[in-house]
């Protein structure tokens, strides 16, 4: 049941609290519903109904999507000052279906396929995203992600990283490939916050909040506070970041393979969610 007061929670660095306080006050005037901004302490607040709207990091968003109840939907993200596009890439670490590896932490002395996109991201700050360390014995360089995926299929490498949207497209359109690969996890290096709305919030109010955010940069009083948060404007997000289809395909594929191989169908969940680097 939705509270008569909209509870916003921010899971960002405390230095962002004041600018987002002005943003929340602006939303209150726009949607005409009392609001309250709190420092978030537990992501479970969204599924428990204690929080209605949140500003979270990409890793936190992936953690929320991994919950069975799928308690939030992404509605917007800030475009940073001087940026040309949103920094919101997600990717999966992929292995062959028959690989002995079942989680990223098990990738010890593996052979890794490194494509051009991965190499462009190699110097990004990884530690702050709690990236699991991967022990690599050998790197095979490829020009494209498709070539890296082909090396996985041919068992010439142990693992690689693939853009999540591309991976979703591949497994949706190619059942043959979907049956031969699996994801060890979805990860992100993004530093862009994501505005999420809890599933218990009405569609009407969700739309009103999103529209208010998309118009925020037009308000002269709010504009300086957006700049304090290094925000040029907010851009809409859609369900393209909702990985329901990806998870269903992965789980269904492995269940079918288990039945075909005569193994029990009560299997360890293959697709996990966390943080990491491309």
């Amino acid at each position: 049941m939705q509270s008569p007061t909209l509870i916003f929670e921010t899971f960002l660095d405390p230095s962002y609290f004041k600018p987002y306080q002005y943003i929340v006050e602006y939303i209150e005037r726009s949607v005409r519903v009392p609001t309250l901004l709190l420092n978030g302490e537990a992501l479970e607040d969204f599924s428990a109904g204690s929080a209605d709207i949140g500003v979270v990091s990409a890793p936190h968003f992936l953690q929320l999507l991994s919950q069975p109840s799928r308690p939030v939907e992404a509605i917007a993200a800030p475009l940073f000052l001087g940026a040309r596009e949103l920094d919101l890439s997600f990717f999966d670490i992929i292995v062959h279906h028959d690989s002995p590896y079942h989680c990223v932490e098990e990738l010890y002395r593996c052979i890794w396929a490194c494509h051009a996109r991965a190499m462009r991201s190699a110097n990004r700050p990884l530690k702050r995203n709690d990236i699991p360390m991967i022990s690599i014995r050998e790197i095979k360089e490829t020009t494209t992600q498709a070539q890296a995926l082909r090396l996985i299929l041919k068992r010439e490498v142990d693992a690689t990283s693939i853009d999540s949207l591309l991976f979703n497209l591949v497994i949706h359109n190619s059942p043959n490939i979907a049956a031969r690969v699996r994801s060890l996890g979805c990860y992100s290096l993004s530093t862009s916050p994501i505005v999420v709305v809890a599933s218990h919030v009405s569609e009407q109010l969700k739309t009103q909040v999103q529209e208010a955010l998309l118009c925020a940069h037009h308000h002269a009083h709010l504009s300086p506070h957006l700049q304090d948060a290094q925000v040029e404007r907010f851009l809409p997000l859609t369900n393209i970041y909702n990985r329901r289809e990806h998870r269903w395909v992965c789980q269904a594929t492995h269940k079918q393979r288990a039945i075909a191989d005569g193994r029990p169908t009560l299997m360890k969940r293959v697709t996990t969610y966390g943080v990491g680097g491309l």
Side-chain angles (χ1 to χ4, degrees):
M1 188 74 177
Q2 186 178 311
S3 167
T5 298
L6 275 178
I7 305 298
F8 285 71
E9 290 193 3
T10 172
F11 290 80
L12 306 181
D13 185 274
S15 62
Y16 286 99
F17 187 86
K18 193 66 175 178
Y20 272 94
Q21 192 169 40
Y22 286 103
I23 295 172
V24 168
E25 290 172 356
Y26 154 76
I27 291 176
E28 177 179 281
R29 295 192 299 270
S30 299
V31 303
R32 299 181 180 180
V33 175
T35 63
L36 178 64
L37 178 64
L38 303 174
N39 277 314
E41 297 182 355
L43 294 176
E44 289 73 18
D45 286 348
F46 294 103
S47 56
S50 303
D52 303 308
I53 302 175
V55 188
V56 301
S57 65
H60 282 148
F61 179 57
L62 291 175
Q63 290 179 43
L64 287 164
L65 289 192
S66 73
Q67 297 180 16
S69 61
R70 308 186 62 78
V72 299
E73 177 184 341
I75 61 167
L79 180 68
F80 289 133
L81 292 174
R84 295 182 178 180
E85 59 184 18
L86 285 178
D87 174 26
L88 270 180
S89 60
F90 295 91
F91 64 92
D92 284 69
I93 293 180
I94 306 301
V95 297
H96 194 278
H97 171 78
D98 297 329
S99 168
Y101 302 113
H102 294 282
C103 65
V104 175
E105 289 76 10
E106 292 180 357
L107 288 172
Y108 178 71
R109 292 186 58 76
C110 67
I111 302 176
W112 182 271
C114 186
H115 47 79
R117 180 171 180 177
M119 288 184 280
R120 288 197 297 270
S121 303
N123 295 323
R124 301 188 65 176
L126 305 182
K127 288 187 178 179
R128 67 180 177 184
N129 282 332
D130 300 325
I131 295 174
M133 299 300 294
I134 298 176
S135 172
I136 299 175
R137 180 176 82 250
E138 180 183 349
I139 294 178
K140 291 191 176 183
E141 295 185 4
T142 67
T143 304
T144 66
Q145 298 181 78
Q147 291 176 356
L149 182 59
R150 189 172 296 112
L151 292 181
I152 293 290
L153 295 173
K154 295 168 66 177
R155 294 186 174 88
E156 293 183 10
V157 298
D158 296 313
T160 191
S161 58
I162 300 294
D163 178 87
S164 292
L165 298 183
L166 174 61
F167 185 56
N168 285 345
L169 182 65
V170 169
I171 64 176
H172 178 74
N173 291 302
S174 177
N176 177 53
I177 294 179
R180 296 165 60 194
V181 298
R182 54 185 167 88
S183 169
L184 297 185
C186 180
Y187 300 87
S188 177
L189 272 178
S190 175
T191 58
S192 181
I194 299 173
V195 181
V196 299
V197 176
S199 57
H200 62 260
V201 175
S202 69
E203 288 297 325
Q204 179 182 359
L205 188 52
K206 185 185 303 181
T207 300
Q208 290 176 332
V209 171
Q210 184 184 51
E211 291 176 348
L213 286 170
L214 302 187
C215 296
H217 60 288
H218 293 305
H219 290 254
H221 174 72
L222 185 61
S223 181
H225 302 298
L226 290 178
Q227 293 181 16
D228 289 342
Q230 300 298 307
V231 173
E232 178 179 319
R233 66 184 186 275
F234 283 89
L235 297 179
L237 292 185
T238 68
N239 284 336
I240 198 168
Y241 293 102
N242 185 324
R243 298 169 53 81
R244 183 189 309 274
E245 179 182 89
H246 178 144
R247 294 172 59 199
W248 182 88
V249 172
C250 286
Q251 292 168 9
T253 298
H254 290 286
K255 183 176 181 180
Q256 291 169 0
R257 288 294 295 267
I259 294 173
D261 295 343
R263 300 193 305 271
T265 58
L266 183 61
M267 300 176 65
K268 178 180 177 181
R269 186 172 179 174
V270 173
T271 303
T272 59
Y273 295 81
V275 292
L278 179 65

